[in-house]
Amino acid sequence: MDRNSVIGFVLLGALLIGYIFWNQQSANTAKLEKARQDSIANLNKPKEEQAKPAGDSTLALDSTRLTNEYGTFASAATGTEQQQVLENKLVKITFSNKGGEPRTVQLLNFKTSEGKPLFLQQGSFNRTGLKIPLPNNQTLNTSDVYFTPGEVKKEADGSQRISYRLNNGQPGQYLEYTYSLKADSYLVDYTINIVGMQNVLPKGNISLQWNAQADRQEHNMQQERLNNQVHYRFSDKEHDYFTLQHRSQEKLSKPVEWVSFKQQFFNITLLARKENFASAEINTKIPESGNIVGQEMTTLAIPYNGAAAYSFPMEIYYGPNHYKTLKAMDVQLEKIIPLGSGIFAFVKYVNKWIIIPVFNFLGSLTSNYGLIILLLTIFIRLIIAPFTYQSYVSAAKMKVLKPELDELRAKYKDDQQAFGMEQMKLFRSAGVNPLGGCLPALLQLPILVAMYSFFPSSIELRQESFLWAKDLSTYDSIYNFGFTIPLYGDHISLFTILMTITSLILAFYNRGMADQSNPVMKYMPYVFPVMLLGIFNSMAAALTYYYFLSNVISIVLQWAIQKFVINHEKIHAKIQANKAKPASKSKWAERLEEMQKRQQDMQ
């Protein structure tokens, strides 16, 4: 075995050992993270569900134990659960005297992808309670005790109100939650009243524990988890967020105005009114379940001033991610809707100022969203029509010049710099801008990216059918394989296939524009649409339908303009006339030509 072989085997061995070490470290990190999440989840479970030492479950609920675990609230440790309902045309909220909090929240105008009633909140994981410190270094979560319920009251403005009171065992000392559901609104007024408890609760921050679980609502679980996020807004109006798949913990040390637990098309948001939350700590978890998208456990700090009578007003939003509805709340909650991010963050203004207003206007004319998307596509093409026309004119000029370019390419076959100089001279003498076809395409890019953000996040398209697509907000599968093909998926999306075919037709139609001597330039227009096939196969049908329509319109327009509008003979005559004129070089062209000559001389 020679020296190089030994070195090779040593390097391979080192790589193998490094990989095993890295894999073990990753596994250990994952185990520690899972243990952390499970520990936090266990602490925030109802008291009867928390893990206890062996034998502890057999202890009787005697007065000593009740006092140790519940302090002066021991009388509220046991009781009979009672439920009350606040309901309007949009939402039905069932409250329980156990914890004095919402037990279930149902959106009345929406269904799951399976046609079942859509609950934004149900199950014991969902809790909203204050953490009250007890003298024995324990903590009481008010979600574990029974409140005294009030009667449902209907106000003159159509809102409904209910209150829950937790007595401290002393006259005039109590904790009270009040809820008011506004008429025809997804908003619930939620106020915490602390009365006469300044000797029980120390002055400072009181922890409000809010746990929420996102259950599966849509057809595509993968997309739901990609869109399962926690958004928050600080008191200085700064907005930020993170996705549960990418992060599991976030500590917010600055005052917070609101925290939103966002699903793909719905959200639950806690908004502080008058006074902000002092801080927040957010922990999240993605359970190994096919029916749970994600869970969040947020601790919000309420700044208690120690007064004998203290109130902390809040609002809870249970509803859809509808842009107009969220914007009307005037707290920038509409920012949770992904209309553009990253390097393309600027396209959110295209969506806000152009796409959404036009989409809403068209929606007021018809309820057929297939037709709405068609009209929207035509509208957008009318906006970019001047750029499109200039692009086609530039393409026609390049087509006329193609024979001369081919001659130059054959003449300077082995000298690309010389060919470039002569090519620039030809373009300059003919009055042709080689970027004439590129700039219009670049100007259309923001529209294309805006659509990429808008359609998958538009709740108006949710469960709206068109042709064979049962739901325009998800992919339009016409056949499921029963297995997954790498880089493609487990189904066939027909709109994606049609989009790809029309893209290839456009590429074939414009084949004369590409440099046939360059294999990359020659074949990329055909390869690129096929590469995108797997990416768009799982995209919203509305998006691929739009791209398909845009391609069809481009094919028809390009054929019509070049057939009936653009006169190639006149263009050729005009180019020849331009050649006869004295050539005037721009400073940029002079510098470029000088650089090319200098490089040629150096060779």
Side-chain angles (χ1 to χ4, degrees):
M1 185 179 294
D2 60 11
R3 179 169 169 268
N4 291 334
S5 299
V6 172
I7 294 174
F9 278 112
V10 170
L11 290 175
L12 285 174
L15 286 173
L16 180 61
I17 293 171
Y19 172 76
I20 294 172
F21 177 78
W22 174 82
N23 196 44
Q24 288 178 341
Q25 290 292 104
S26 299
N28 290 335
T29 302
K31 287 181 181 178
L32 291 173
E33 175 61 21
K34 186 178 185 301
R36 184 188 69 82
Q37 291 182 354
D38 291 344
S39 176
I40 293 171
N42 182 65
L43 289 174
N44 291 305
K45 284 181 180 178
K47 189 173 287 286
E48 61 270 18
E49 294 182 16
Q50 291 183 18
K52 295 181 178 294
D56 188 51
S57 59
T58 61
L59 293 176
L61 284 175
D62 55 28
S63 58
T64 303
R65 185 184 175 201
L66 287 176
T67 302
N68 288 336
E69 291 192 6
Y70 298 93
T72 56
F73 300 97
S75 61
T78 58
T80 302
E81 187 170 10
Q82 303 175 40
Q83 294 185 345
Q84 291 82 20
V85 175
L86 299 185
E87 181 177 0
N88 59 24
K89 295 179 181 179
L90 303 174
V91 62
K92 178 181 178 181
I93 307 175
T94 302
F95 292 85
S96 172
N97 65 321
K98 175 127 184 235
E101 60 190 21
R103 184 67 70 207
T104 64
V105 179
Q106 180 185 357
L107 299 186
L108 300 176
N109 295 332
F110 298 93
K111 301 288 185 181
T112 68
S113 61
E114 298 177 348
K116 297 179 180 179
L118 194 150
F119 287 90
L120 273 191
Q121 178 174 309
Q122 65 176 343
S124 61
F125 183 87
N126 299 276
R127 286 148 57 86
T128 308
L130 284 180
K131 287 186 173 182
I132 299 176
L134 300 177
N136 55 1
N137 292 325
Q138 293 196 42
T139 301
L140 169 70
N141 191 322
T142 60
S143 294
D144 295 320
V145 294
Y146 290 86
F147 285 62
T148 302
E151 296 294 328
V152 175
K153 297 180 180 180
K154 295 185 177 180
E155 308 292 346
D157 60 358
S159 62
Q160 302 169 51
R161 185 175 180 274
I162 192 171
S163 63
Y164 291 89
R165 183 172 292 188
L166 177 65
N167 293 306
N168 186 37
Q170 300 294 328
Q173 296 184 15
Y174 60 87
L175 174 68
E176 184 182 54
Y177 298 155
T178 63
Y179 302 91
S180 177
L181 176 61
K182 301 175 182 179
D184 300 327
S185 173
Y186 294 103
L187 276 173
V188 177
D189 287 329
Y190 170 37
T191 303
I192 297 176
N193 297 311
I194 302 174
V195 179
M197 297 182 63
Q198 61 272 24
N199 295 326
V200 178
L201 295 175
K203 182 179 180 181
N205 293 332
I206 304 175
S207 295
L208 175 66
Q209 185 62 45
W210 170 40
N211 298 350
Q213 176 174 293
D215 294 325
R216 182 172 186 174
Q217 313 285 6
E218 312 304 327
H219 177 70
N220 191 339
M221 182 67 148
Q222 182 180 0
Q223 284 297 319
E224 278 197 272
R225 284 187 167 163
L226 286 173
N227 287 278
N228 192 199
Q229 301 166 336
V230 175
H231 290 248
Y232 43 89
R233 188 192 192 205
F234 295 105
S235 59
D236 60 4
K237 315 308 178 188
E238 178 189 354
H239 164 260
D240 206 348
Y241 74 96
F242 65 90
T243 303
L244 269 65
Q245 283 192 336
H246 300 154
R247 200 182 309 171
S248 62
Q249 185 181 36
E250 187 70 33
K251 293 184 179 181
L252 312 178
S253 57
K254 299 190 298 183
V256 180
E257 183 178 358
W258 53 257
V259 177
S260 179
F261 187 46
K262 173 188 171 291
Q263 302 179 38
Q264 185 173 359
F265 292 112
F266 306 96
N267 78 88
I268 302 176
T269 301
L270 258 63
L271 305 97
R273 293 301 192 186
K274 295 184 179 179
E275 193 172 6
N276 296 309
F277 300 110
S279 61
E281 181 176 344
I282 305 167
N283 290 277
T284 66
K285 181 180 179 181
I286 301 178
E288 296 177 0
S289 168
N291 296 315
I292 300 175
V293 180
Q295 297 172 331
E296 66 88 19
M297 297 151 282
T298 299
T299 304
L300 298 160
I302 294 176
Y304 174 54
N305 59 14
Y310 174 80
S311 293
F312 189 81
M314 292 174 279
E315 285 182 323
I316 310 177
Y317 177 85
Y318 299 106
N321 301 335
H322 184 256
Y323 183 83
K324 188 176 181 180
T325 302
L326 299 183
K327 186 174 176 60
M329 295 171 62
D330 198 29
V331 291
Q332 296 186 340
L333 189 57
E334 69 276 8
K335 285 189 172 183
I336 71 173
I337 302 176
L339 297 177
S341 59
I343 61 173
F344 293 108
F346 66 92
V347 303
K348 63 185 175 185
Y349 301 107
V350 177
N351 277 317
K352 290 180 181 179
W353 297 339
I354 300 176
I355 305 302
I356 291 177
V358 174
F359 186 81
N360 290 338
F361 170 75
L362 294 173
S364 67
L365 302 178
T366 177
S367 60
N368 187 323
Y369 280 92
L371 179 58
I372 290 172
I373 295 172
L374 173 61
L375 295 174
L376 179 64
T377 308
I378 294 173
F379 170 78
I380 291 171
R381 295 311 299 259
L382 287 175
I383 290 179
I384 63 177
F387 307 113
T388 303
Y389 177 74
Q390 290 300 322
S391 176
Y392 292 158
V393 170
S394 177
K397 290 181 178 180
M398 294 295 289
K399 187 175 182 180
V400 170
L401 287 177
K402 188 176 183 302
E404 297 181 54
L405 284 173
D406 290 341
E407 291 180 7
L408 289 176
R409 192 173 287 111
K411 182 178 179 180
Y412 298 100
K413 186 175 182 180
D414 299 326
D415 193 343
Q416 290 299 314
Q417 289 187 352
F419 167 73
M421 291 174 59
E422 294 300 320
Q423 185 184 43
M424 291 300 297
K425 287 180 182 179
L426 176 63
F427 288 155
R428 189 167 57 249
S429 63
V432 174
N433 182 2
L435 298 178
C438 299
L439 291 177
L442 290 175
L443 292 173
Q444 294 177 42
L445 184 62
I447 298 289
L448 296 176
V449 178
M451 292 294 132
Y452 185 85
S453 301
F454 171 72
F455 283 122
S457 59
S458 176
I459 192 171
E460 291 88 347
L461 299 171
R462 184 179 182 270
Q463 296 182 357
E464 291 291 339
S465 62
F466 179 67
L467 298 178
W468 58 84
K470 297 179 181 179
D471 185 346
L472 287 170
S473 69
T474 188
Y475 55 81
D476 55 313
S477 175
I478 60 169
Y479 182 77
N480 293 318
F481 299 124
F483 56 90
T484 300
I485 299 176
L487 303 178
Y488 182 70
D490 60 357
H491 63 275
I492 297 175
S493 169
L494 184 53
F495 276 132
T496 304
I497 296 294
L498 294 174
M499 178 194 76
T500 304
I501 291 173
T502 51
S503 296
L504 292 172
I505 292 173
L506 268 176
F508 180 78
Y509 197 77
N510 294 321
R511 66 191 183 281
M513 292 294 299
D515 183 359
Q516 301 299 306
S517 65
N518 187 331
V520 175
M521 297 298 293
K522 182 178 180 180
Y523 295 110
M524 183 55 70
Y526 303 100
V527 174
F528 193 62
V530 177
M531 290 173 60
L532 294 178
L533 183 62
I535 296 175
F536 281 91
N537 192 53
S538 296
M539 291 291 181
L543 178 65
T544 51
Y545 170 54
Y546 165 78
Y547 285 155
F548 163 65
L549 287 176
S550 185
N551 284 344
V552 171
I553 293 174
S554 294
I555 292 169
V556 173
L557 281 178
Q558 192 162 339
W559 175 81
I561 290 176
Q562 294 193 2
K563 184 74 174 179
F564 302 107
V565 179
I566 296 176
N567 190 319
H568 289 79
E569 293 181 358
K570 287 185 177 180
I571 291 176
H572 185 268
K574 188 175 181 180
I575 287 176
Q576 298 305 318
N578 286 335
K579 286 183 180 181
K581 294 178 182 179
S584 58
K585 297 182 182 179
S586 65
K587 292 184 178 180
W588 178 84
E590 289 177 352
R591 285 198 295 268
L592 181 61
E593 190 172 327
E594 184 179 348
M595 289 173 59
Q596 290 176 333
K597 286 182 177 179
R598 192 181 302 117
Q599 290 179 357
Q600 190 175 17
D601 293 339
M602 290 176 63
Q603 292 179 351

